[in-house]
Amino acid sequence: MKKLINDPQDVMRESLAGFAAAHADILKVSFDPVYVVRADAPVTGQVGIISGGGSGHEPLHGGFVGKGMLDAACPGQVFTSPSPDQMEAATAAVNGGAGVLHIVKNYTGDVMNFEMAAELCQARGIEVQAVVINDDVAVQDSLYTAGRRGVGATVLAEKICGAAAARGYDLGRVAALAGRVNACARSMGMALSPCTVPAAGKPNFVLGDDEMEMGVGIHGEPGRRRMALMPAAESVAHMAEAILADLPFRAGDRVIAMLNGMGGTPLIELYLVYGELEQHLRSRQITIARRLVGNYITSLDMAGCSITLLQVDDELLSLWDAPVLTPALRWGI
Amino acid sequence: MKKLINDPQDVMRESLAGFAAAHADILKVSFDPVYVVRADAPVTGQVGIISGGGSGHEPLHGGFVGKGMLDAACPGQVFTSPSPDQMEAATAAVNGGAGVLHIVKNYTGDVMNFEMAAELCQARGIEVQAVVINDDVAVQDSLYTAGRRGVGATVLAEKICGAAAARGYDLGRVAALAGRVNACARSMGMALSPCTVPAAGKPNFVLGDDEMEMGVGIHGEPGRRRMALMPAAESVAHMAEAILADLPFRAGDRVIAMLNGMGGTPLIELYLVYGELEQHLRSRQITIARRLVGNYITSLDMAGCSITLLQVDDELLSLWDAPVLTPALRWGI
């Protein structure tokens, strides 16, 4: 294993220490229990939004904490769910009196722990609603998931709900929006290489020199099929068709598209893939109204990418365009 | 070779096609000859700023084209200098009547071709000045360079000069600023892995499982020393000490720090390394006034990082903080 780390056991905390030092203008990090929180939390009278999950998917979730997006994020150890006490403390820290939304990716540990945290918070008199994101069309059930996995739509839900909270939507409306984003978004990913969890010290699966994993999960979970390496245009067509057929998306749809890198794939390739995606969608009369191209929900050093498409209307676009100031997404401020 | 590409010969052009589609609000791409240019170029009465070099270092340089930074960028094939006709066309496209600055990384082909382009432009009546960036302290002379290589300081010079041009500085002052950034900045990098040029199809050097290349160049050029893999804290101390001793930086200095990823190293590691850097500089009574942490000047899929430090005063900080709207750097707009 070759990584820029010290002791593999300390990666999450040491990375958070650097993250806190780099972004002190936007956020603070609590280390006991561990959570990342907006520097100005709680915002009185505004719905709080938190998310969380295992580390190793940076910038998700901590990189999306700040004005107009998440109020707090709870990072677990690498690929390990955070604990209910982290979620409870983060919820209390962002509660401005209007309740708190938990945005939860569908992994068994995350769902269970967020449920427990919500109960603890409600017992303390904090109103909590939770929305589970399960946008990955690749497989039904998986290594750590009953049902479908939650992946890229989480980023879009965090942005859109954060904007809605900043506009003064109440908890019910913000939660409904998260549900709507989840209902209207679909994702699929692929890997050219495995990734290496620091504490494990070796790659988490094996791929041949001429193979790729189509439909891979963000922890290296098996996808739909181990396939022969193919040109980018074919990989994109494969993922896009699976996504389009699932919702289904239709000619005339407008979408927000996220072309996401898994962490080890350079930008020159991601833009090439984005070009293929745009062409493919144009051939299906689908218009990309907004897009993200880059590393947003990663799998450590895995090479590969994922595509997320969200069917949008003017309300969702307006919330997408609203100002945001976080380490990883920033515009309008 | 496992990459998200189609034909290895088409990578640069296909990636640019996706890049143009993704950022049509900010820039346009000309394909004959190839250059990336601000959507609103030329800006009348304002100094134009262009840069360029081989592809494979994304987001450098195209990702820094936009308001408040570069007016145009000329990408060559991967790790190959762009040609004088690209530079001439880009210079003409951004000339708003106040002259054009060429920011050139110190690689023999880039320097030669930018010199030729400057002559062609001057013959057309366009005033051109050029500044060569050579901030890499690792080695004197290198595989493609006489003298020192130009690396991370290029990003800082592009931002600071772009802000100065937007404020109405004349060509002489903008060029002097670029020279000052180069004089006050130093960088060094290291690699945990080689990178693979698509047209070559195999890694461009070999590193043992327990080795790293300290002082590596952004094309995989040899550094100072092949060293045994060490903890991040020691790698940082090694790079930071080489940088600090070279200028030299002194106790009491304020700096802009860039902790740059080489392309294949995930953000969780980069933040950990940034934390080590901040601690190290604090122990030397040097204050990081501003910072970038992420992939800014990469080497395809190379794993590793580089550190750039720029000694700043209030003028440089004010120019750094000025609004910028590019694909890769965006604030204040």
Side-chain angles (χ1 to χ4, degrees):
Chain A
M1 174 177 62
K2 297 176 93 171
K3 289 184 184 288
L4 286 164
I5 61 173
N6 298 304
D7 187 324
Q9 303 304 326
D10 299 333
V11 171
M12 183 266 274
R13 283 175 180 266
E14 291 185 354
S15 181
L16 279 175
F19 182 69
H23 301 294
D25 50 333
I26 295 177
L27 51 83
K28 293 175 292 192
V29 175
S30 155
F31 282 92
D32 185 24
V34 175
Y35 61 90
V36 179
V37 63
R38 262 175 79 154
D40 60 349
V43 185
T44 306
Q46 186 173 302
V47 171
I49 303 179
I50 79 170
S51 189
S55 293
H57 307 300
E58 290 69 22
L60 189 84
H61 296 274
F64 301 128
V65 170
K67 281 194 211 319
M69 208 158 167
L70 291 179
D71 291 275
C74 304
Q77 294 292 341
V78 172
F79 291 1
T80 302
S81 292
S83 58
D85 68 306
Q86 294 175 253
M87 300 162 180
E88 182 192 0
T91 304
V94 308
N95 175 34
V100 178
L101 175 68
H102 290 177
I103 297 180
V104 185
K105 300 196 303 301
N106 192 33
Y107 298 97
T108 305
D110 291 1
V111 171
M112 194 177 67
N113 290 354
F114 265 110
E115 277 174 5
M116 211 175 300
E119 283 172 26
L120 292 168
C121 292
Q122 277 148 351
R124 289 172 62 172
I126 306 172
E127 194 184 359
V128 172
Q129 293 198 28
V131 173
V132 175
I133 305 292
N134 61 351
D135 56 313
D136 189 340
V137 305
V139 292
Q140 193 68 21
D141 303 330
S142 188
L143 217 48
Y144 314 110
T145 313
R148 284 178 166 188
R149 301 178 294 226
V151 289
T154 315
V155 177
L156 309 186
E158 290 173 0
K159 170 66 185 80
I160 286 167
C161 292
R167 283 194 185 162
Y169 284 32
D170 67 22
L171 180 57
R173 280 182 79 195
V174 178
L177 256 180
R180 195 172 142 212
V181 168
N182 187 51
C184 298
R186 295 291 187 274
S187 298
M188 188 152 145
M190 56 83 66
L192 293 174
S193 80
C195 54
T196 300
V197 174
K202 56 181 185 18
N204 58 354
F205 60 98
V206 178
L207 268 176
D209 281 349
D210 53 354
E211 286 182 329
M212 57 190 215
E213 182 73 28
M214 180 58 73
V216 74
I218 56 170
H219 312 91
E221 303 98 310
R224 287 190 175 184
R225 202 141 65 95
R226 188 69 55 99
M227 301 178 85
L229 200 58
M230 52 175 75
E234 284 176 47
S235 291
V236 166
H238 204 93
M239 286 186 281
E241 285 306 308
I243 288 169
L244 293 177
D246 194 88
L247 190 62
F249 292 82
R250 294 204 163 85
D253 277 354
R254 288 181 302 164
V255 299
I256 295 175
M258 181 166 76
L259 192 291
N260 171 63
M262 291 296 195
T265 285
L267 208 46
I268 191 170
E269 296 177 39
L270 297 181
Y271 276 116
L272 187 151
V273 171
Y274 176 78
E276 296 293 347
L277 176 64
E278 224 228 20
Q279 275 186 50
H280 190 90
L281 294 185
R282 198 184 310 129
S283 76
R284 304 294 234 93
Q285 284 90 52
I286 292 168
T287 305
I288 300 180
R290 302 291 186 275
R291 78 285 301 151
L292 292 177
V293 183
N295 294 329
Y296 295 101
I297 170 172
T298 61
S299 306
L300 295 168
D301 52 351
M302 186 187 281
C305 71
S306 66
I307 294 169
T308 298
L309 300 181
L310 168 65
Q311 200 183 49
V312 291
D313 60 7
D314 290 341
E315 184 194 17
L316 291 184
L317 279 182
S318 158
L319 291 164
W320 181 257
D321 289 341
V324 60
L325 174 56
T326 70
L329 275 194
R330 179 171 182 166
W331 57 71
I333 300 184
Chain B
M1 175 178 60
K2 298 177 92 171
K3 289 182 183 289
L4 285 164
I5 61 174
N6 298 304
D7 187 322
Q9 304 304 324
D10 299 333
V11 170
M12 184 265 276
R13 282 173 181 270
E14 290 184 355
S15 181
L16 278 174
F19 181 69
H23 300 294
D25 51 333
I26 295 177
L27 51 84
K28 294 176 292 193
V29 176
S30 154
F31 282 92
D32 187 25
V34 175
Y35 61 90
V36 179
V37 63
R38 265 175 75 154
D40 60 349
V43 184
T44 305
Q46 186 172 303
V47 171
I49 302 179
I50 78 170
S51 190
S55 292
H57 307 299
E58 290 69 21
L60 188 86
H61 295 275
F64 301 127
V65 170
K67 280 195 213 316
M69 209 161 166
L70 291 178
D71 292 273
C74 304
Q77 295 291 340
V78 173
F79 291 0
T80 303
S81 292
S83 58
D85 68 306
Q86 293 175 255
M87 300 162 183
E88 183 191 0
T91 303
V94 307
N95 176 35
V100 178
L101 176 67
H102 290 176
I103 297 179
V104 185
K105 299 196 303 301
N106 191 32
Y107 298 97
T108 305
D110 291 2
V111 171
M112 194 176 68
N113 290 355
F114 266 111
E115 277 174 5
M116 211 176 301
E119 283 172 25
L120 294 166
C121 292
Q122 277 150 350
R124 288 171 64 172
I126 305 173
E127 195 185 358
V128 172
Q129 292 197 30
V131 172
V132 175
I133 305 291
N134 60 352
D135 57 313
D136 188 340
V137 305
V139 293
Q140 193 66 24
D141 302 332
S142 187
L143 217 50
Y144 313 109
T145 314
R148 285 180 165 185
R149 300 177 297 226
V151 290
T154 315
V155 177
L156 310 187
E158 290 172 2
K159 170 66 185 79
I160 286 168
C161 291
R167 284 196 184 163
Y169 283 34
D170 66 23
L171 180 57
R173 279 183 80 196
V174 177
L177 256 180
R180 196 174 138 211
V181 168
N182 187 51
C184 298
R186 296 290 186 277
S187 298
M188 188 152 145
M190 56 82 66
L192 293 174
S193 81
C195 55
T196 300
V197 174
K202 57 179 183 21
N204 58 355
F205 61 98
V206 178
L207 267 176
D209 281 349
D210 53 355
E211 286 181 329
M212 57 190 220
E213 182 74 27
M214 181 57 73
V216 75
I218 57 171
H219 312 91
E221 304 98 308
R224 286 191 177 182
R225 203 141 64 96
R226 189 69 55 96
M227 299 176 89
L229 201 57
M230 51 175 78
E234 284 176 46
S235 292
V236 166
H238 203 93
M239 286 186 280
E241 286 305 307
I243 289 168
L244 294 178
D246 194 88
L247 190 63
F249 292 82
R250 295 204 163 83
D253 277 353
R254 288 180 301 164
V255 300
I256 296 175
M258 181 166 77
L259 193 289
N260 171 64
M262 290 296 196
T265 286
L267 209 45
I268 190 171
E269 297 178 37
L270 297 181
Y271 276 117
L272 187 153
V273 171
Y274 176 77
E276 296 292 347
L277 176 63
E278 224 228 19
Q279 274 186 50
H280 190 89
L281 294 185
R282 197 183 312 129
S283 76
R284 305 295 233 93
Q285 283 90 54
I286 292 168
T287 305
I288 300 180
R290 303 289 186 276
R291 78 284 302 150
L292 293 176
V293 182
N295 294 329
Y296 295 99
I297 169 170
T298 60
S299 305
L300 295 166
D301 52 351
M302 185 187 283
C305 71
S306 65
I307 294 170
T308 297
L309 300 181
L310 168 64
Q311 200 183 50
V312 290
D313 60 7
D314 290 341
E315 184 193 18
L316 292 184
L317 279 182
S318 158
L319 291 163
W320 181 258
D321 289 341
V324 61
L325 174 56
T326 71
L329 276 194
R330 179 170 181 168
W331 57 71
I333 300 182

